[in-house]
Amino acid sequence: MNSDCEKIIQLAERVMDGGSITQEEAKWIIRRKDEDTMLLLAMSDKIRQKFNGNAVDFCAIINARSGHCQENCKFCAQSGWWNTGATVYRLLPEEQILEAAKKAKAAGAVRFSLVTSGRNQDNPNEFEEIIDIVKKIKEQVGIEVCCSLGLISAEQAVRLKEAGITRVHCNIETAPSYFPEICTTHTMEDKEDIISTAQKAGIRVCSGGIIGLGESLDQRVEMAFKLKEMHIDSVPLNILNPVKGTPFYHNKRLPPLEVLRTFAMFRFVLPKALIRTAGGREVNLRSLQPYALTGGLNGIMVGGYLTTGGRDPREDILMTNDLGRSRTAPVL
């Protein structure tokens, strides 16, 4: 066995024994060669098995309010700054959201997230609609409910907690050092404020980001350690699926093995977190999608995403069954 393989195993054993890796070691992990990648994935999955068991967590989202966002995130089809042809609508009718929640549960999801475009929830009437919808999903569908609502206030966070929201989702998107390259209308500090506000209200936070925005390998490591610093225990990892009209439309797609090495690095850094593969997995990982789940991840976002479609959830159920994995149950 070569020295690199021995080091991968040693680092994994340290993590499984309750230790941690340094940022320099994480930078080394993410730069492993293609020929060592399968061993890296295997050891990342051993960490997953040790701390997270066998179950795969399915979640789903709905684009509950779309388009005309004031923010200039360079990857986003819903930003009003770019001409992408994205559909624009106000908050969807209650019946439509409830029906989507039922379909998500039927597809195996244990969690359903309401996602709204825009900077915040400055329309009090619409916020009250959201509160009512959350309560009805909990009562009528029997599925966990989370939300991604932008810059929520402390009072709104308390109201959401009382309504039954189990998690607030707020991606930090990328490393703090790279954030000014992807957005200038809000800051990483704004993201941290949302996360802190939710945590103070007693709501768990789901926060991850997107790889393939033009960030360096070191900046992906920086992002992982930032999430660790903020005590995030649920991490969605998206892979850029470039949208025509956005500044990142011509970004080069990442090689699948590089994506998988990035996922593995996150597992080494965040051994106990729920880490899921989310938007962009179908078009970037393609036939290697199962390797995400055998390379350390324990969650999947199923169905469609905000402005792009996903694959049939039945294929994801079949994939997890073929891998001998169980699925989590909702915590209500």
Side-chain angles (χ1 to χ4, degrees):
M1 184 181 297
N2 67 43
S3 59
D4 284 356
C5 292
E6 290 175 350
K7 185 173 180 180
I8 291 170
I9 294 170
Q10 289 169 358
L11 291 175
E13 288 177 341
R14 185 202 301 168
V15 173
M16 287 187 283
D17 287 339
S20 59
I21 64 170
T22 66
Q23 289 202 38
E24 289 305 311
E25 289 167 334
K27 291 174 184 177
W28 180 86
I29 282 173
I30 203 172
R31 286 177 167 81
R32 289 309 85 218
K33 300 173 183 177
D34 286 354
E35 53 263 36
D36 292 337
T37 295
M38 289 302 131
L39 175 63
L40 176 63
L41 300 184
M43 297 314 299
S44 176
D45 208 48
K46 285 296 182 185
I47 297 171
R48 185 271 303 169
Q49 293 169 24
K50 172 72 182 288
F51 294 110
N52 295 280
N54 192 51
V56 178
D57 190 276
F58 279 24
C59 75
I61 63 175
I62 185 170
N63 191 6
R65 185 179 70 208
S66 178
H68 275 333
C69 182
Q70 309 96 310
E71 309 305 299
N72 66 352
C73 303
K74 292 180 180 177
F75 55 83
C76 186
Q78 299 193 74
S79 171
W81 292 62
W82 325 127
N83 183 20
T84 65
T87 306
V88 177
Y89 51 81
R90 69 171 298 278
L91 190 69
L92 290 173
E94 174 186 292
E95 298 77 15
Q96 191 172 340
I97 295 176
L98 283 168
E99 184 61 28
K102 292 173 184 176
K103 288 182 178 178
K105 184 177 181 181
V110 297
R111 196 171 303 100
F112 181 71
S113 181
L114 304 177
V115 184
T116 59
S117 67
R119 181 177 178 82
N120 53 29
Q121 301 301 318
D122 58 358
N123 182 330
N125 293 330
E126 198 164 87
F127 184 72
E128 291 304 318
E129 288 184 60
I130 291 171
I131 292 293
D132 289 341
I133 289 169
V134 169
K135 291 177 180 178
K136 287 179 180 175
I137 293 173
K138 293 278 287 187
E139 294 166 1
Q140 299 180 23
V141 183
I143 191 172
E144 287 183 61
V145 190
C146 62
C147 60
S148 181
L149 306 176
L151 292 166
I152 57 172
S153 67
E155 180 184 357
Q156 288 173 332
V158 171
R159 293 286 313 283
L160 291 166
K161 168 77 171 176
E162 292 171 347
I165 286 291
T166 55
R167 302 183 199 224
V168 162
H169 172 261
C170 176
N171 278 346
I172 63 171
E173 308 301 2
T174 189
S177 67
Y178 193 63
F179 193 87
E181 301 300 319
I182 71 165
C183 180
T184 59
T185 51
H186 62 270
T187 65
M188 179 66 75
E189 288 73 23
D190 291 329
K191 297 280 192 179
E192 292 180 71
D193 286 345
I194 299 172
I195 291 168
S196 176
T197 296
Q199 290 173 331
K200 287 176 181 175
I203 306 175
R204 295 175 69 184
V205 174
C206 178
S207 182
I210 310 171
I211 62 172
L213 299 176
E215 76 287 347
S216 68
L217 294 177
D218 286 357
Q219 285 168 326
R220 291 180 204 164
V221 170
E222 181 189 345
M223 173 183 160
F225 276 85
K226 182 63 177 178
L227 294 169
K228 180 179 181 180
E229 173 192 314
M230 294 190 296
H231 307 290
I232 302 299
D233 65 358
S234 177
V235 180
L237 294 176
N238 302 276
I239 315 153
L240 181 67
N241 187 5
V243 176
K244 189 173 183 180
T246 63
F248 287 162
Y249 176 59
H250 295 292
N251 280 28
K252 186 178 179 181
R253 290 199 184 276
L254 302 179
L257 291 181
E258 180 182 322
V259 172
L260 293 171
R261 286 191 292 270
T262 300
F263 288 176
M265 179 275 295
F266 271 84
R267 175 54 70 200
F268 272 76
V269 175
L270 299 160
K272 298 180 181 180
L274 168 55
I275 308 178
R276 73 177 72 253
T277 176
R281 64 183 171 95
E282 297 88 352
V283 295
N284 287 281
L285 287 176
R286 299 181 292 281
S287 62
L288 298 192
Q289 286 185 72
Y291 285 93
L293 294 179
T294 58
L297 271 55
N298 57 328
I300 303 176
M301 185 176 288
V302 296
Y305 307 102
L306 293 178
T307 59
T308 56
R311 70 174 183 173
D312 190 324
R314 289 174 294 186
E315 294 184 53
D316 290 321
I317 292 173
L318 179 61
M319 177 174 68
T320 54
N321 289 344
D322 287 346
L323 292 172
R325 302 281 288 276
S326 60
R327 294 195 302 279
T328 58
V331 179
L332 300 172

